[in-house]
């Protein structure tokens, strides 16, 4: 695989930034997905090899989805809780697969990252960061790191190659969702180094019994309205579930849009999906959460969060109603009739 021309210069800059530093903190998404986990492990590998840096990986929230838990277990990762980190101990902070101010990471506002590497569209606060590599045309952040590893002459060990391969496959849904040529080439590069049997085990990761209750609730609450299916999970202890349900419902024949919400950690979490890239899911989520919360994402998948002020039943009902109205308005389905997806 050829790495894009820019990677060489950027690797040089990254090496210069590492010089003289000893401790790197890598911040990933709260409730991290496989792409952010793999990207963090790849940055750790680069920092170890290029400058012998000690690295910690920090995240807020939990690893919920069965597949992601299996991946973390396989990598033997010890993720540190953002709330318990002494930031003054680190002389360099990076965010990967997420950026400052997106609302989906727990980097404190007063901690300024020195490095941001991501494939989400660039955010305002990122522009002030000394080292940035934002490639929103890429299907995954893992793909960017594959190019760095190649450029640095590092052959990925089996667990790292397996994680990166899984990160790309899951963000791009096996190259079917927003995949670029670079993602395909990265997969071809990684394949010989990855543990294929472990990939299969990870993808069929064990789930707790409550998973099925959540799935049943999701289907029971689901309504179709025009080209959309909407559902809510209520209180959840596994935030990954809203994304999983939004993906699952999008497979329905006539559905072009899905939305799933759930309450976690005094926030309403929202996932939206669309089958058409031209629908610009990222723009839709930003319109939905405007003035109330934060949101971001890609062309066909995006997420947002709205903090609850009081957490009362009334406040919840109001926010849910507001979000649903904004969603239906943004996709032009507000006039359509609402019908239950399944008989209850
Ligand atoms: Mn990603």
């Amino acid at each position: 695989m050829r790495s894009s021309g820019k990677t060489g210069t950027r690797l040089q800059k990254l090496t210069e930034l590492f010089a003289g530093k000893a401790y790197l903190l890598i911040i990933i998404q709260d409730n991290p997905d496989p792409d952010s986990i793999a990207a963090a492990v790849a940055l750790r590998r680069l920092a170890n090899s290029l400058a012998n840096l000690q690295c910690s990986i920090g995240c807020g929230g939990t690893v919920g989805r069965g597949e992601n838990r299996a991946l973390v277990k396989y990598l033997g990762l010890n993720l540190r809780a953002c709330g318990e980190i002494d930031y003054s101990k680190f002389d360099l902070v990076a965010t990967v697969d997420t950026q400052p101010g997106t609302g989906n990471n727990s980097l404190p506002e007063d901690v300024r990252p020195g490095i941001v590497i991501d494939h989400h569209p660039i955010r305002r606060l990122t522009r002030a960061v000394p080292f940035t590599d934002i490639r929103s045309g890429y299907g995954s952040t893992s793909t960017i790191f594959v190019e760095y590893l190649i450029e640095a002459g590092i052959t990925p060990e089996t667990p790292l190659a397996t994680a990166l391969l899984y990160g790309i496959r899951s963000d791009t849904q096996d190259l079917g969702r927003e995949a670029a040529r670079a993602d395909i080439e990265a997969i071809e590069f990684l394949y010989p180094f990855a543990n294929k049997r472990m990939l299969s085990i990870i993808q069929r990761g064990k789930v707790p019994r409550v998973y099925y209750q959540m799935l049943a609730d999701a289907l029971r609450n689901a309504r179709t309205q025009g080209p959309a299916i909407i559902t809510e999970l209520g209180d959840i202890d596994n935030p990954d579930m809203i994304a999983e349900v939004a993906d699952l419902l999008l497979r329905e024949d006539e559905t072009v849009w899905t939305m799933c919400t759930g309450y976690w950690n005094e926030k309403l979490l929202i996932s939206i999906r669309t089958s058409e890239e031209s629908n610009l899911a990222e723009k839709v989520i930003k319109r939905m959460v405007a003035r109330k919360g934060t949101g971001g994402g890609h062309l066909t998948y995006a997420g947002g969060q709205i903090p609850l002020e009081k957490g009362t039943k009334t406040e919840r009902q109001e926010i849910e109603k507001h979000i649903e109205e904004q969603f239906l308005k943004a996709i032009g389905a507000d006039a359509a009739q609402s019908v239950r997806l399944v008989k209850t």
Side-chain angles (χ1 to χ4, degrees):
M1 175 189 185
R2 221 171 14 86
S3 72
S4 79
K6 291 183 210 159
T7 310
T9 341
R10 284 174 177 168
L11 183 69
Q12 184 70 37
K13 269 189 77 179
L14 198 58
T15 313
E16 285 163 18
L17 194 65
F18 286 157
K21 307 283 200 312
Y23 299 102
L24 169 65
L25 175 64
I26 303 166
I27 298 287
I28 56 178
Q29 301 166 1
D30 297 342
N31 320 310
D33 66 18
D35 185 35
S36 70
I37 294 166
V41 176
L43 178 58
R44 181 177 71 181
R45 178 72 166 88
L46 277 168
N48 287 160
S49 309
L50 298 173
N52 213 11
L53 293 187
Q54 298 254 30
C55 299
S56 291
I57 301 172
C59 82
T62 54
V63 181
R65 202 164 173 156
E67 295 92 318
N68 306 354
R69 292 165 91 99
L71 176 66
V72 168
K73 196 172 151 208
Y74 169 57
L75 291 169
L77 270 192
N78 181 15
L79 296 174
R80 301 190 42 192
C82 276
E84 290 159 20
I85 292 172
D86 178 359
Y87 290 86
S88 67
K89 288 221 169 95
F90 296 90
D91 43 18
L92 192 57
V93 176
T95 71
V96 295
D97 203 37
T98 181
Q99 299 177 39
T102 51
N104 74 341
N105 67 64
S106 295
L107 181 73
E109 264 176 49
D110 58 344
V111 178
R112 296 262 166 259
I115 299 168
V116 175
I117 300 174
D118 191 16
H119 71 127
H120 296 84
I122 191 159
R123 312 283 294 213
R124 188 177 48 84
L125 289 172
T126 303
R127 298 190 193 276
V129 173
F131 182 92
T132 60
D133 191 346
I134 309 295
R135 306 190 202 181
S136 54
Y138 278 28
S140 77
T141 301
S142 296
T143 302
I144 306 176
F145 278 102
V146 171
E147 293 191 9
Y148 278 101
L149 292 170
I150 293 170
E151 191 68 36
I154 297 168
T155 304
E157 300 72 25
T158 304
L160 175 57
T162 309
L164 286 165
L165 185 56
Y166 188 55
I168 302 169
R169 277 175 50 173
S170 86
D171 258 29
T172 64
Q173 294 187 333
D174 288 322
L175 297 174
R177 175 172 79 178
E178 296 183 45
R181 168 129 295 272
D183 301 306
I184 298 169
E185 288 179 356
I187 285 209
E188 285 168 353
F189 169 80
L190 293 167
Y191 204 74
F193 304 113
N195 182 336
K196 273 71 87 179
R197 193 168 157 267
M198 187 50 72
L199 270 176
S200 165
I201 291 172
I202 290 169
Q203 272 180 294
R204 286 160 186 76
K206 284 280 193 186
V207 293
R209 191 163 290 182
V210 292
Y211 173 91
Y212 298 96
Q213 182 62 55
M214 250 176 328
L215 212 52
D217 293 343
L219 294 176
R220 199 176 315 111
N221 293 338
R223 294 89 68 193
T224 65
Q225 185 159 345
I229 302 181
I230 297 174
T231 192
E232 57 269 322
L233 301 180
D235 286 303
I236 44 175
D237 53 14
N238 174 3
D240 289 348
M241 199 61 200
I242 59 163
E244 189 165 335
V245 166
D247 284 332
L248 176 75
L249 295 175
L250 193 61
R251 293 183 62 189
E252 198 272 332
D253 257 343
E254 292 159 43
T255 298
V256 183
W257 278 103
T258 60
M259 175 178 91
C260 180
T261 62
Y263 291 101
W264 176 80
N265 206 6
E266 280 124 65
K267 282 182 282 197
L268 177 72
L269 304 183
I270 310 148
S271 266
I272 64 168
R273 298 289 186 267
T274 174
S275 40
E276 302 289 336
E277 288 190 6
S278 58
N279 280 338
L280 308 177
E282 193 228 357
K283 292 231 162 70
V284 170
I285 195 87
K286 281 187 166 162
R287 226 175 300 157
M288 288 165 61
V289 300
R291 291 184 302 278
K292 290 191 185 296
T294 48
H298 306 273
L299 301 174
T300 60
Y301 62 115
Q305 46 272 314
I306 296 177
L308 296 175
E309 276 162 20
K310 299 176 285 250
T312 58
K313 206 174 162 195
T314 323
E315 187 194 14
R316 285 179 171 219
Q317 282 168 346
E318 276 169 13
I319 290 188
E320 276 176 48
K321 188 162 168 277
H322 172 80
I323 281 302
E324 184 171 329
E325 280 171 3
Q326 291 300 309
F327 174 65
L328 291 168
K329 211 165 86 187
I331 67 168
D334 39 345
Q337 209 199 335
S338 172
V339 183
R340 293 222 160 264
L341 177 67
V342 295
K343 288 196 190 98
T344 52

